[in-house]
């Protein structure tokens, strides 16, 4: 296909035209006749009993229509919000799940937890009425710090402890033995700071109900509308799937935070039928800070054993993961299967054991955010490897190279349950060292010192497992759903192509990339391919976009569907050309037999106007496929950060960042580079700026952009990005997934650079000027 | 209260409550939904529009303050068939992903260029400090602004 | 987790140009208090040692109507008492605190009022207003005492009655 629009071409995005002209359609941009407005009542306490809720005054407000409480929802039989991944403790017992009603009924367990919904004719009236709802709370002592949660008295009535699970992976005895025998053991205590995702579009929902048909329609900010529908139907039991349509229109960023099925869209959908009017709810940013799932928040102790030659012999990791007050949809899987399994990193460490305590606290639930478990794993591995290099006087790049899995070792089975299919970690590292001019670092350091600044360099050779996920493996590990993806290709009668995908784009550019894939595969013009996504009413099924799975899984489903189109088209073309199907080849959009040639367009037309047509074949040229990957994909790469630290102020400036990533085959390099840039900025945010802080009362004190420090344009440098390629061995595109790598690799690289500059063993993220200054002055 | 203002070249006379914010007037009354609201503390810049040619965060401007003045939103600076050079540069440089911050970012960037100061990587980054983007890491936004700056200067000569 | 934002702690003193007994009386007079609390929409005495009030206030970007329950303990007329406040603002969150107030007679016949407040806030007040809570509390106290000062200053009183607002 055309070199300008096919696989590998930096095609400009077709979705951009609507976004740059203000014609995007985000959920809050939508309005429907008869629409009312919802405002949620949220707990100001981290933990409190609800004694009574009095809405009498609120209902007197002009325009107020209804106030719903958790009691109302319970009476109506509205189900709890489920956790979709069952993790088992090492003793074989199921994780301990706290019931999670969409609206709190008798007790609130984190600041911001919704306990009621006010519906009114206007937003102003809803807000005014909400102020007049008198709730009588009895404050209880909260548990806030994860490290102390397991020992503290249980926050949930009926649960014996705050420990949701005590999970492990790997061989503990062998790991302990190897550590005991090691020539050197590096020990490190690490904190992975709590983050708040902060997609710039706040979450929103617009729900309608048609009493004549019993049909609900929910338009909402979702990364996976079909999963949303599945949960709302099967678990919350609002309506069966055929009576519930979920549409995710243009969505302004997700980063994981819009995967989950939240209380708000659940309650608004249910309430739309109760009031008999459409209800719209849009979060204010203050609500987003409290009510969007938070991320990371690990406390970890790690030990790495090395032999005399510097080879890693064992890695032992003990992590306490803060899960928040309830188990969010995938919250249980993040610090376990998406974390422990990645602790081999790029290295041949023969013995690994990880134990994760998942604990409840009176804080916002914690779930997946860009990288989800893999940034935490990379942070542990790459921080302790760097520390080991410093302790044993080895060059950090060379220590890594010494221990790397080599190209000839694949497929490589790690001691923590994964089989890496392919990679060339040395190639990424070599390229990154070249791009950063490692040899010139000493000179650059001297130049910085001449200006009163300390310069540091830090590495992070990460690996991740993405393209979630082989369904059977995922289900075996506790997932409640399969993790395949669906795709459908309709060749319209005149040959244009409509593509339906269960993936969802909220910034990733599927409308462009997927069109490139299909246009390339079927040899039809790029402009003749339209991509439809994000609507359960139009797309059969899908599992959505997260875990860098869209192209590797969703794109592969389209390849499978295209193969079916070609197979059927071949039979039609063979009939028309009076040839044997085996003698018909499909090349560049045409079926060829000897010197006869029929274009896909001609064959499509024949399939819809079947005059000259195989008698045993159905008319039409439309095929769908479900693609279930046989393994994860394993993007990997080398990230190198250089920082300058101002001795007088402690300010860290990220002055250079090189990322060389192996994503396998790349469909659109422009988009891939953009994904990496964004991930790197989020990683830089985690390392240097962002921190979700609760005070001892469980109040979120970084609850606005005045206190939660988002990376801004002048906080980050231009990034130097490049790719190396080892194609994924098990999907038809050879693609691995690029959405999360930047956020996975970069925090460790940056903190390694900061600690190098400052000359300290560790510095907690975010490395704020105050912290750095204290370290510089030995405080 | 009665209010007359010009939005994207069209004069509007409206009756609005005195506490109406300019964002609400634009989004709700005029259905100009290209102006987005990303926060409630005037920090994110998604709501940036031009008021008499200067960029303002419309979430902290009362509609009444725009009375008798000229407002330009993202819908008013170019159309799909006739893009403003800044819009074109954003597309050409892949300076947007989810698109939510984009309208505000473009309007602030246009002002930055029109202010006429010498622009380089550092000054563009400092100039965009009031607009948050979570997707792009700013790398391509900076490239787009510098590219558009060249085009806009050529066009004005 | 950090220890940041754990609460409000503040103390201060004001010289009030009135006799201690008069100051004590006024501090227990709902009408005077209502006049001196900025944004006070109502203030009622519930009993010997308790008041309830409705106050419209603004802490940074958080503006709301607060229901305030006041309780007086450790009463040692006319020298000292402890004032406990329980403030609720629905969507705006809550505040809880207590103030130790002492009144000392001075040689020039005026009264030196000392107070020390300890409290904490929650909900939106903590989330968005926490960095502003200290300065807001300081300003509210200053505004209160300046109004209280005026309410008890005989000269100011005469002026006020001559020029009703």
């Amino acid at each position: 296909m055309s070199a300008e629009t096919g696989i590998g071409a930096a095609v400009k995005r077709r979705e951009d035209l609507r976004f740059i002209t203000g014609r995007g359609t985000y959920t809050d941009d939508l309005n429907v006749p008869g629409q009312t407005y919802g405002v949620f009542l949220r707990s100001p306490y981290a933990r409190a009993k609800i004694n009574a809720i009095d809405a009498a005054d609120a209902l007197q407000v002009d325009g107020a229509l209804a106030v719903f409480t958790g009691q109302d929802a319970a009476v109506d039989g509205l189900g709890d919000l489920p956790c979709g991944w069952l993790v088992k403790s090492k003793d074989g017992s199921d994780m301990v799940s706290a019931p999670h009603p969409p609206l709190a009924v008798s007790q609130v367990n984190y600041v911001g937890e919704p306990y009621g919904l006010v519906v009114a004719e206007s937003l102003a009236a809803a807000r005014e009425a909400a102020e007049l709802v008198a709730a009588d709370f009895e404050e209880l002592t909260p548990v806030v710090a994860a490290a102390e949660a397991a020992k503290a008295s249980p926050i949930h009535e009926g649960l014996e402890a705050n420990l949701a699970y005590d999970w492990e992976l790997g061989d503990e005895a062998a790991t302990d033995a190897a550590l005991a025998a090691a020539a050197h053991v590096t020990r490190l205590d690490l904190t992975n700071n709590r983050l708040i995702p902060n997609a710039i579009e706040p979450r929103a929902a617009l729900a309608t109900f048609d009493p004549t048909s019993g049909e609900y329609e929910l338009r909402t900010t979702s990364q996976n509308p079909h999963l949303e529908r599945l949960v709302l139907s099967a678990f919350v039991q609002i309506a069966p799937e055929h009576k519930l349509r979920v549409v995710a229109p243009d969505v302004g960023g997700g980063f994981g935070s819009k995967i989950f099925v939240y209380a708000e869209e659940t309650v608004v959908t249910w309430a739309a039928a109760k009031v008999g009017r459409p209800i719209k709810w849009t979060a204010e940013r203050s609500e987003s800070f409290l009510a969007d799932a938070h991320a990371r928040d690990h406390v970890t102790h790690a030990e790495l054993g090395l032999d005399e030659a510097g080879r890693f012999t064992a890695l032992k990791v003990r992590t306490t993961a803060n899960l928040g007050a309830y188990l969010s949809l995938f919250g249980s899987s993040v610090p376990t299967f998406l974390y422990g399994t990645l602790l081999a990193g790029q290295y041949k460490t023969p013995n690994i054991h990880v134990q994760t305590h998942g604990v409840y606290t009176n804080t916002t639930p914690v779930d997946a955010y860009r990288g989800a478990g893999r940034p935490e794993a990379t942070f542990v591995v790459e921080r302790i490897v760097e520390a080991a290099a410093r302790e044993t006087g080895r060059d950090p790049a060379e220590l890594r190279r010494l221990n790397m899995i080599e190209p000839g070792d694949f497929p490589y089975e790690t001691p923590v349950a994964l089989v890496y299919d392919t990679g060339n970690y040395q190639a990424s590292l070599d390229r990154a060292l070249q791009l950063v001019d490692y040899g010139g670092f000493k000179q650059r350091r001297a130049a910085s010192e001449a200006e009163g600044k300390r310069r540091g360099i830090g590495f992070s050779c990460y690996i991740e497992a993405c393209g979630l996920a082989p369904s059977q493996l995922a289900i075996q590990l506790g997932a409640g759903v399969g993790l395949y993806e669906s795709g459908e290709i309709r060749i319209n009668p005149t040959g244009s192509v409509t593509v339906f995908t269960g993936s969802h784009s909220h910034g990733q550019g599927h409308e462009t990339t997927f069109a490139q894939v299909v246009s390339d595969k079927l040899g039809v013009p790029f402009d003749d391919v339209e991509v439809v996504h994000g609507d359960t009413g139009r797309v059969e099924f899908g599992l959505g976009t997260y875990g860098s799975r869209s192209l590797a899984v969703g794109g592969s489903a389209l390849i499978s569907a295209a193969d079916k189109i070609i197979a059927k088209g071949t039979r039609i073309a063979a009939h028309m050309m009076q040839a044997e199907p085996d003698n018909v080849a499909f090349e560049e959009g045409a079926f060829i037999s000897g010197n006869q040639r029929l274009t896909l367009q001609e064959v499509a037309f024949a399939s819809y106007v079947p005059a000259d047509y195989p008698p045993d074949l159905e008319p039409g040229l439309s095929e769908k496929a479900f693609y279930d990957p046989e393994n994860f994909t394993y993007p990997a790469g080398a990230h190198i950060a250089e920082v300058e630290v101002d001795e007088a102020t402690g300010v860290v400036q990220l002055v250079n960042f090189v990322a060389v990533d192996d994503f396998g085959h790349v469909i659109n390099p422009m988009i891939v580079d953009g994904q990496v840039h964004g991930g790197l900025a989020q990683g830089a945010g985690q390392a240097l700026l962002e921190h979700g802080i609760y005070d001892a009362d469980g109040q979120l004190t970084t609850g606005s952009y005045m206190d939660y420090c988002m990376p801004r344009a002048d906080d980050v440098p231009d990034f130097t990005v490049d790719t190396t390629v080892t194609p994924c061995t098990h999907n038809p595109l050879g693609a691995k997934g690029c959405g999360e790598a930047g956020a996975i690799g970069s925090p460790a690289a940056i903190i390694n650079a900061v600690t190098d500059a400052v000359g300290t063993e560790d510095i907690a993220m975010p490395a704020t000027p105050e912290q750095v200054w204290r370290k510089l002055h030995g405080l | 209260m009665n209010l007359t203002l010009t939005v994207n070249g069209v004069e509007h006379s409206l009756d609005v409550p005195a506490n109406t914010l300019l964002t609400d007037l634009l989004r709700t009354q005029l259905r100009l939904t290209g102006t987005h609201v990303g926060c409630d503390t005037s920090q994110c810049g998604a709501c940036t529009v031009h008021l008499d040619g200067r960029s303002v965060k419309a979430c902290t401007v009362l509609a009444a303050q725009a009375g008798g003045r000229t407002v330009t939103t993202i819908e008013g600076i170019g159309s799909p068939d006739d893009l403003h050079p800044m819009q074109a540069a954003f597309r050409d440089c892949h300076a947007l992903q989810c698109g939510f911050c984009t309208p505000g970012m473009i309007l602030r960037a246009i002002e930055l260029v029109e202010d006429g100061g010498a622009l380089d990587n550092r000054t563009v980054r400092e100039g965009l400090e009031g607009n948050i983007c979570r997707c792009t890491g700013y790398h391509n936004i900076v490239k787009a602004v510098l590219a558009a700056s060249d085009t806009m200067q050529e066009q004005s000569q | 987790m950090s220890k940041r934002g754990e609460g409000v702690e503040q103390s201060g003193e004001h010289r009030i140009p009135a006799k201690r007994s008069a100051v004590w009386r006024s501090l227990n007079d709902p009408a005077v208090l209502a006049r001196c609390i900025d944004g006070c929409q109502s203030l009622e005495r519930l009993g010997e040692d308790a008041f309830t009030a409705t106050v419209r206030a603004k802490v940074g970007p958080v503006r709301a109507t607060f229901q305030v329950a006041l309780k007086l303990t450790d009463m040692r007329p006319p020298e000292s008492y402890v004032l406990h406040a329980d403030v609720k603002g629905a969507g705006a969150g809550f505040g809880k605190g207590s103030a130790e107030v002492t009144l000392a007679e001075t040689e020039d016949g005026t009264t030196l009022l000392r107070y020390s407040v300890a409290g904490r806030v929650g909900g939106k007040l903590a989330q968005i207003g926490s960095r502003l809570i200290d300065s807001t509390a300081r300003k509210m106290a200053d505004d209160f005492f300046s109004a209280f000062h005026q309410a008890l200053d005989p000269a100011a009183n005469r002026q006020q009655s001559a020029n009703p607002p």
Side-chain angles (χ1 to χ4, degrees):
Chain A
M1 197 51 214
S2 149
E4 287 81 49
T5 59
I7 288 176
V11 182
K12 295 202 178 24
R13 301 199 320 169
R14 49 169 55 155
E15 42 273 84
D16 286 358
L17 211 50
R18 67 179 187 270
F19 294 137
I20 55 178
T21 56
R23 286 166 171 78
T25 309
Y26 301 89
T27 301
D28 188 58
D29 298 341
L30 297 163
N31 294 288
V32 293
Q35 171 179 308
T36 66
Y37 296 82
V39 165
F40 281 90
L41 304 168
R42 297 186 182 279
S43 171
Y45 300 102
R47 184 161 176 254
K49 267 197 180 350
I50 304 173
N51 287 331
I53 299 170
D54 179 358
D57 289 349
L59 290 168
Q60 296 303 310
V61 170
D62 197 21
L65 295 168
V67 175
F68 298 107
T69 65
Q71 199 67 48
D72 298 324
V75 166
D76 257 27
L78 207 62
D80 283 351
L81 299 174
C83 175
W85 200 300
L86 178 72
V87 170
K88 286 180 185 294
S89 285
K90 62 185 180 191
D91 65 6
S93 61
D94 288 353
M95 66 186 185
V96 178
S97 297
H100 188 188
L103 292 176
V105 180
S106 57
Q107 185 172 314
V108 284
N109 286 302
Y110 63 93
V111 171
E113 181 173 3
Y115 64 87
L117 169 70
V118 177
V119 183
E121 295 284 355
S122 70
L123 186 55
R127 283 182 180 147
E128 190 186 341
E131 286 295 318
L132 295 175
V133 176
D136 178 16
F137 290 105
E138 182 185 332
E139 213 179 339
L140 304 170
T141 306
V143 172
V144 183
E148 278 101 58
K151 282 169 278 167
S153 68
I155 61 168
H156 291 287
E157 212 171 294
L159 299 195
E160 284 175 16
N162 293 320
L163 187 68
Y165 50 71
D166 175 4
W167 177 87
E168 68 169 354
L169 184 65
D171 187 334
E172 184 170 22
T175 304
D176 283 342
L179 281 172
H184 180 84
V185 177
T186 294
R187 296 181 174 83
L188 206 52
D189 288 295
L190 295 165
T191 300
N192 206 287
N193 44 327
R194 178 179 277 243
L195 301 179
I196 304 178
N198 275 301
I200 302 300
E201 180 207 20
R203 286 193 294 116
L206 173 58
T208 62
F209 175 69
D210 180 349
T212 64
S213 64
E215 283 172 13
Y216 291 82
E217 184 170 325
L218 169 64
R219 286 172 253 201
T220 190
T221 47
S222 175
Q223 297 178 215
N224 37 219
H226 290 85
L227 194 60
E228 178 99 36
R229 185 183 64 166
L230 177 67
V231 170
L232 291 182
S233 292
F235 295 91
V236 184
Q237 301 197 318
I238 287 180
E241 277 125 313
H242 67 296
K243 295 291 187 189
L244 175 59
R245 178 177 180 183
V246 179
V247 181
D250 286 329
V251 173
F255 316 111
S257 70
K258 291 170 181 169
I259 298 171
F260 323 119
V261 177
Y262 286 97
E264 291 85 2
E265 65 261 25
T266 303
V267 172
V268 160
T269 307
W270 162 74
K274 302 284 285 180
V275 296
R277 303 259 302 270
I279 305 176
K280 181 176 185 174
W281 165 78
T282 303
E284 295 183 353
R285 179 58 55 186
S286 313
E287 289 183 277
S288 309
F289 269 101
L290 300 173
D292 291 6
H294 290 184
R296 318 282 194 253
D297 208 346
H298 286 194
V299 180
T300 294
H301 175 77
E303 301 186 0
L304 177 70
L306 295 85
D307 66 15
E308 292 290 353
R311 291 186 195 279
F312 306 152
T313 57
L315 176 65
K316 184 170 179 172
V317 176
R318 294 285 171 272
T319 292
T320 298
N322 192 343
L323 302 171
Y326 301 98
L327 296 176
S328 176
L329 192 62
F330 292 120
S332 57
S333 65
V334 174
T336 52
F337 293 108
L338 296 176
Y339 168 70
T341 52
L342 272 303
L343 288 168
Q346 299 186 349
Y347 311 113
K348 291 190 273 194
T349 314
N351 302 290
I352 299 175
H353 182 257
V354 52
Q355 179 185 53
T356 301
H357 285 175
V359 296
Y360 289 113
T361 60
N362 291 108
T363 63
T364 295
V366 175
D367 207 325
Y369 162 65
R370 204 168 198 165
R374 291 150 288 163
E376 297 92 316
T378 299
F379 192 68
V380 171
V381 173
E382 291 304 299
R383 283 287 295 116
I384 201 164
V385 166
E386 192 92 7
R390 289 175 195 169
E391 285 179 6
T392 61
R394 292 183 165 88
D395 179 276
E398 291 317 307
L399 180 65
R400 286 177 167 88
R401 194 192 305 277
L402 175 71
N403 283 282
M404 276 175 181
I405 298 161
E406 290 165 67
D409 295 337
F410 296 102
Y412 179 85
E413 186 171 357
T414 75
V416 276
L418 294 178
V419 179
Y420 300 166
D421 63 335
T422 183
N424 186 340
Y425 311 139
Q426 293 80 357
S428 310
L429 178 59
D430 288 343
R431 180 70 180 136
L433 289 170
Q434 185 189 2
L435 285 172
V436 84
D437 179 20
Y438 191 41
F441 176 70
K442 278 190 183 134
Q443 269 180 305
R444 295 195 294 280
R445 173 175 263 177
S448 296
E449 274 166 8
E451 290 177 24
K453 290 183 174 169
R454 296 204 196 178
R455 197 177 185 102
I457 191 164
F459 297 82
S460 175
C461 293
Y462 76 93
I463 188 164
E464 63 146 322
C466 67
L468 306 183
S471 291
Q472 285 198 10
L473 176 63
I475 292 166
Q476 194 188 324
L477 297 178
V481 287
L483 286 166
Y484 48 81
E485 192 50 271
S486 84
E488 182 179 353
I489 298 176
R490 292 183 199 162
I491 314 293
N492 300 310
T494 54
S496 67
V497 181
T498 310
V499 172
F500 298 82
T501 175
S503 265
H504 184 268
S505 176
H506 31 279
Q508 296 89 340
H510 293 15
E511 291 164 41
T512 302
T513 313
F514 284 18
Q516 283 180 261
V517 168
V518 172
S519 141
D520 193 289
K521 175 82 181 171
L522 292 179
V524 292
F526 174 75
D527 288 336
D528 286 358
V529 183
E530 196 70 27
V531 177
V532 175
H533 65 97
D535 183 349
T536 64
R538 298 184 71 190
V539 178
E540 181 177 291
F541 195 68
L543 287 158
T545 288
Y546 42 83
S548 303
R549 65 193 302 275
S550 290
L551 187 70
V553 188
S556 294
L558 292 175
I559 294 291
S560 300
D563 283 334
K564 292 184 186 178
I565 293 278
I566 293 167
K568 183 169 179 181
T570 299
R571 291 185 62 192
I572 301 168
H575 177 89
M576 292 168 74
M577 296 188 288
Q578 295 183 326
E580 283 302 313
D582 285 350
N583 296 332
V584 175
F586 184 73
E587 281 167 22
E588 294 184 0
F591 296 93
I592 295 162
S593 172
N595 56 4
Q596 297 184 89
R597 188 172 184 276
L598 282 171
T599 64
L600 182 63
Q601 285 80 356
E602 289 170 305
V603 170
F605 189 79
S607 78
Y608 288 97
V609 187
D612 178 18
Y613 200 72
D616 56 345
L617 207 58
E618 288 175 15
L621 195 53
S622 172
E623 296 287 348
K624 66 181 71 151
F626 282 69
Y627 179 81
D628 201 347
E630 64 180 61
N631 193 351
F632 295 94
T633 65
Y634 298 97
H639 290 186
I640 305 177
E642 274 187 50
V643 299
E644 274 187 344
V645 175
D646 186 320
E647 295 203 18
T649 62
V651 168
V652 176
Q653 190 69 39
L654 183 56
V655 290
N656 191 14
F657 200 102
V658 170
V660 178
D661 301 290
D662 178 356
F663 299 131
H665 286 316
V666 166
I667 307 300
N668 185 324
M670 176 192 82
I671 288 178
V672 167
D673 286 354
Q675 289 291 310
V676 175
H677 296 153
L680 294 177
Q682 288 179 346
Q686 165 156 37
L688 299 173
L689 306 167
E690 299 177 37
H691 198 183
I693 301 174
Y694 283 94
D695 71 13
D697 292 330
Q699 297 290 338
L700 181 67
T701 57
T702 53
S704 81
Y705 290 149
M706 296 181 295
D707 296 287
Y708 187 90
C709 189
M710 294 280 280
R712 292 172 186 265
D714 53 355
D715 292 318
V716 286
D718 276 3
F719 302 110
T720 304
V721 301
D722 199 2
T723 52
T724 54
V725 179
T726 60
C728 172
T729 58
H730 57 80
N731 69 43
L733 289 163
K736 296 183 179 177
C738 65
E740 298 165 289
I744 290 169
S746 56
I750 294 168
I751 294 299
N752 284 337
V754 174
T755 51
D756 181 44
V758 173
T760 182
E761 184 181 88
D762 187 36
I763 192 158
M765 296 192 289
T768 58
E770 181 191 345
Q771 275 216 77
V772 172
W773 188 88
R774 284 177 187 279
K775 289 278 185 192
L776 283 169
H777 292 79
L779 296 170
Chain B
M1 59 176 294
N2 284 310
L3 186 68
T4 301
L5 76 172
T6 303
V7 179
N8 299 335
V10 180
E11 191 176 284
H12 296 270
S13 284
L14 301 152
D15 186 18
V16 297
N19 62 358
T20 305
L21 294 171
L22 183 54
T23 40
D24 292 333
L25 178 103
L26 295 170
R27 287 183 55 78
T28 311
Q29 299 230 359
L30 301 180
R31 293 281 191 256
L32 291 168
T33 53
T35 301
H36 297 149
V37 178
C39 77
D40 45 12
T41 50
S42 306
Q43 296 280 314
C44 80
C47 63
T48 304
V49 300
H50 286 179
L51 185 59
D52 289 341
R54 302 299 301 174
S55 76
V56 294
K57 291 181 177 176
C59 73
T60 32
V61 175
L62 287 167
Q65 291 172 279
R69 303 170 72 179
T70 299
V71 176
T72 307
T73 70
I74 189 71
E75 291 92 343
I77 60 159
S79 66
D81 302 331
D82 183 20
L83 294 175
H84 186 282
M86 190 63 74
Q87 291 172 309
F90 265 59
R91 183 172 194 227
D92 291 343
C93 298
H94 187 36
L96 64 146
Q97 291 179 26
C98 82
F100 198 79
C101 76
T102 308
M105 199 67 85
I106 286 176
L107 283 153
R108 169 61 190 136
I110 289 172
E111 182 192 42
L112 197 58
V113 174
E114 286 178 346
D115 277 350
L119 291 181
D120 58 19
N121 192 296
R122 183 54 27 203
T123 49
V124 169
R125 286 181 182 276
E126 284 166 2
L128 296 177
E129 211 265 348
N131 292 67
I132 300 176
C133 171
R134 193 57 152 168
C135 294
T136 64
Y138 304 100
H139 182 108
N140 287 338
I141 292 177
V142 175
K143 268 174 38 184
V145 176
L146 291 170
S149 170
D150 291 344
T151 317
M152 286 165 70
Q153 273 163 18
E154 280 164 28
Q155 285 182 357
S156 67
Q157 275 160 12
Chain C
M1 203 192 65
S2 121
K3 299 293 173 203
R4 214 201 102 183
E6 257 183 41
V8 191
E9 275 184 34
Q10 221 164 75
S11 59
E13 56 179 55
H14 288 263
R15 189 174 293 275
I16 298 165
K19 280 202 160 55
R20 184 162 77 170
S21 57
V23 173
W24 179 267
R25 235 185 355 264
S26 296
L27 280 175
N28 284 281
D29 180 345
V32 176
L33 292 176
R35 198 143 35 96
C36 298
I37 299 171
D38 189 30
C40 184
Q41 296 175 339
S42 72
L43 192 142
E44 287 171 46
R45 182 189 284 279
L46 296 177
E48 189 65 10
D49 58 356
F51 300 90
T52 177
T54 304
V55 180
R56 182 99 185 136
K58 184 173 178 297
V59 182
V62 185
R63 185 193 294 272
T65 303
F66 294 94
Q67 300 302 322
V68 184
L70 296 171
K71 191 164 170 57
L72 308 179
T73 64
D74 306 277
M75 300 265 274
R76 291 200 296 141
E79 281 170 25
S80 67
Y81 67 93
V82 180
L83 173 70
H84 304 269
D86 194 346
V87 181
K88 283 181 184 159
F94 67 90
K96 278 177 196 229
S98 56
E100 288 177 32
V101 180
T102 60
L103 303 177
E105 286 180 315
T106 62
E107 284 172 9
D108 58 5
T110 62
T111 304
L112 189 64
L113 181 151
R114 291 196 183 86
Y115 70 93
S116 103
V117 180
R120 61 191 180 92
V121 292
K124 214 170 205 179
L125 284 175
Q127 186 189 353
I128 298 182
S130 63
R131 61 158 63 204
L132 305 158
I133 202 86
D134 279 324
S135 56
T136 307
R138 172 74 62 193
K139 182 178 179 304
M140 286 170 93
D142 287 347
D143 289 351
F144 173 82
F145 286 113
S146 116
F148 191 70
H149 186 120
Q150 220 165 43
L152 268 84
D153 183 343
N157 272 336
R158 270 197 303 280
Q159 238 178 359
Q160 225 171 33
S161 52
N163 303 299

